[in-house]
Amino acid sequence: DEIILVLTPSNNDQTSTIAQTINPHIITTRIKNPEIDFSSWRNHGLSLAGGKWILFIDPDERLSPPLKENIQQIIKQPKPQYVAYDLPRANYFLGKRVRHGGTYPDYVQRLFLATKLKGYQGKLHEQPQIEGQSTKIKHVLLHFTHRDLTSMMEKTIKWTLLEAKLLHQSHHPPVVWWRFPRMMFTKFFERMIKQKM
């Protein structure tokens, strides 16, 4: 019924123009605060939404045709059993589907009964706050993450700095040297052995 495009400080001026060309009925709103805060961005979009159901989609995500059909069936239910749905993300890295190493199913809760979604919390790893039960959908949300190594490195540096700042603010204990090899071994075991990357 409505599409709300939340333009963050990283969006250039062409984003709104391109969106309006594709669909002139898109509602665009721009975040003026330069600080990265995913929850406030999602909550801002939520505050402008007037529909019974809310579906959040990031710019690098696409609905697969079966997922779109499944969502349409869910929102037509007169008395929904669940108030939120977790979508399994199929991640694509440098144009190729990644299937191992704990990357699938990468569940993200994105479909909500509007009256039961109380908002998001967390600046970087934002989490929805809901009232009621949720369940999983089997059809995939396509996630076209890093398309080249340059954009991957730029995003990694930006997110790493923010995450370090948040850890420092939360009084996380200082990192000692032995945690580096321990974490390397732990992640290697999880992804290469346990999850069979």
Side-chain angles (χ1 to χ4, degrees), residues 4-194:
I4 299 168
L5 174 62
V6 179
L7 299 169
T8 65
S10 63
N11 294 123
N12 59 40
D13 294 334
Q14 292 184 341
T15 306
S16 180
T17 305
I18 293 168
Q20 293 289 338
T21 303
I22 296 169
N23 187 334
H25 302 293
I26 287 179
I27 301 165
T28 59
T29 179
R30 182 172 288 281
I31 301 291
K32 295 179 181 174
N33 185 349
E35 186 179 0
I36 296 173
D37 188 339
F38 284 91
S39 285
S40 71
W41 298 347
R42 292 199 189 279
N43 291 335
H44 180 68
L46 177 63
S47 70
L48 300 175
K52 180 181 177 181
W53 286 91
I54 307 290
L55 174 67
F56 284 94
I57 296 290
D58 288 342
D60 58 358
E61 296 171 339
R62 308 286 182 270
L63 295 181
S64 63
L67 176 58
K68 179 180 177 182
E69 186 178 328
N70 197 179
I71 289 173
Q72 288 173 336
Q73 291 171 351
I74 289 168
I75 65 177
K76 287 176 183 175
Q77 296 173 5
K79 291 184 179 180
Q81 182 181 357
Y82 300 99
V83 302
Y85 291 83
D86 299 350
L87 316 181
R89 271 198 310 196
N91 293 301
Y92 287 78
F93 179 73
L94 302 181
K96 294 185 179 181
R97 171 81 183 269
V98 183
R99 298 178 183 272
H100 306 288
T103 59
Y104 182 82
D106 176 21
Y107 282 107
V108 287
Q109 202 169 81
R110 295 292 183 77
L111 179 63
F112 306 93
L113 192 59
T115 56
K116 300 298 182 181
L117 175 59
K118 301 309 170 188
Y120 276 82
Q121 289 183 357
K123 283 189 175 184
L124 186 57
H125 302 292
E126 73 282 9
Q127 293 299 319
Q129 308 301 307
I130 61 167
E131 288 183 353
Q133 287 187 311
S134 64
T135 190
K136 293 179 170 64
I137 291 179
K138 68 176 183 177
H139 300 297
V140 298
L141 176 67
L142 306 174
H143 181 211
F144 297 96
T145 181
H146 313 294
R147 305 196 184 197
D148 57 72
L149 292 175
T150 302
S151 67
M152 183 194 79
M153 288 303 298
E154 287 173 353
K155 185 176 179 181
T156 300
I157 291 167
K158 185 190 294 184
W159 282 190
T160 301
L161 289 170
L162 176 58
E163 194 150 18
K165 182 180 177 182
L166 292 173
L167 285 170
H168 180 71
Q169 289 173 351
S170 68
H171 305 292
H172 189 278
V175 177
V176 291
W177 70 267
W178 52 263
R179 288 195 66 186
F180 288 98
R182 192 192 79 175
M183 286 302 297
M184 289 170 60
F185 175 78
T186 301
K187 287 299 176 185
F188 177 83
F189 178 80
E190 283 179 2
R191 299 194 175 194
M192 302 297 287
I193 311 298
K194 191 176 178 182

